[in-house]
C-alpha cells in the first residue's frame, strides 16, 4: 500500500507542476512601453483603434500588410503593422488585443483579437447586420 501511495503522490506532484507551468504561461496585457523595453519578446497589448489616424490596406499591392494605430491602456498611441489581411469590422471593435513585438517604434503584430460590441446593448449594432438596418427589429 505504501508503494501505491508514493506513486500517487508523485503523479499528483507532476500534475500540480504541469498546471502551475501552464498558469504561469498565461501573460497579462502589457503596454507598448513595456513591449519596447524587450523587443525580442512577444507581448499581448490591449487597446482601442485610433480612428482619427490613417489605416493602410491595399490588397492589390500586398494583401498581407495592414497598418493602423492603436491607443493602449496607458494612453500611448503606436503604429501597428499586421502581417495578414485587414480584419472585417475592425473599426466597430470596442477593444483590440494584439500579439506581437516592438520593432523600433512600430508594433509588429502576428495576431489580432477583437472585442466587438454586444448585440444586446440598445445603442450598439449587431455584428453582421446590414448597414442602415435597424438593430431594434424585435428579433
Amino acid at each position: 500500500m505504501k508503494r501505491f501511495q508514493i506513486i500517487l503522490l508523485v503523479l499528483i506532484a507532476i500534475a500540480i507542476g504541469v498546471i502551475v507551468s501552464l498558469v504561469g504561461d498565461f501573460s497579462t496585457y502589457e503596454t507598448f512601453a513595456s513591449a519596447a523595453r524587450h523587443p525580442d519578446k512577444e507581448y499581448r497589448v490591449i487597446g482601442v483603434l485610433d480612428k482619427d489616424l490613417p489605416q493602410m490596406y491595399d490588397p492589390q499591392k500586398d494583401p498581407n500588410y495592414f497598418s493602423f494605430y492603436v491607443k493602449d491602456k496607458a494612453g500611448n498611441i503606436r503604429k501597428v503593422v499586421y502581417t495578414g489581411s485587414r480584419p472585417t469590422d475592425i473599426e466597430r471593435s470596442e477593444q483590440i488585443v494584439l500579439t506581437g513585438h516592438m520593432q523600433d517604434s512600430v508594433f509588429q503584430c502576428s495576431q489580432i483579437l477583437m472585442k466587438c460590441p454586444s448585440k444586446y446593448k440598445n445603442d450598439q449594432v449587431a455584428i453582421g447586420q446590414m448597414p442602415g438596418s435597424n438593430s431594434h427589429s424585435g428579433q
Side-chain angles (χ1 to χ4, degrees), residues 6-136:
I6 292 172
I7 292 172
L8 186 62
L9 285 174
V10 169
L11 289 175
I12 291 173
I14 290 171
I16 290 172
V18 168
I19 291 170
V20 167
S21 69
L22 289 176
V23 170
D25 195 31
F26 291 119
S27 63
T28 59
Y29 298 120
E30 298 292 334
T31 62
F32 290 125
S34 59
R37 285 193 287 273
H38 302 284
D40 54 330
K41 188 175 176 188
E42 191 168 84
Y43 286 95
R44 285 188 212 145
V45 176
I46 190 167
V48 294
L49 179 69
D50 190 328
K51 297 174 185 173
D52 296 331
L53 294 172
Q55 298 179 21
M56 191 173 107
Y57 180 63
D58 185 358
Q60 302 282 336
K61 185 177 179 183
D62 186 355
N64 292 318
Y65 180 89
F66 173 49
S67 70
F68 54 101
Y69 291 85
V70 170
K71 183 178 191 178
D72 68 10
K73 62 185 177 183
N76 300 315
I77 299 173
R78 292 286 184 269
K79 181 178 183 178
V80 176
V81 173
Y82 176 57
T83 53
S85 62
R86 183 180 182 278
T88 306
D89 293 333
I90 190 168
E91 48 292 312
R92 293 172 61 185
S93 63
E94 288 180 350
Q95 289 183 331
I96 301 173
V97 178
L98 308 167
T99 303
H101 65 279
M102 289 296 290
Q103 185 175 15
D104 299 321
S105 64
V106 176
F107 191 79
Q108 300 293 328
C109 183
S110 59
Q111 183 180 23
I112 298 175
L113 297 173
M114 298 183 302
K115 181 182 180 215
C116 296
S118 172
K119 65 182 179 180
Y120 300 108
K121 291 183 181 176
N122 291 338
D123 60 340
Q124 304 286 333
V125 177
I127 299 300
Q129 190 170 354
M130 298 299 291
S133 64
N134 187 352
S135 65
H136 304 285

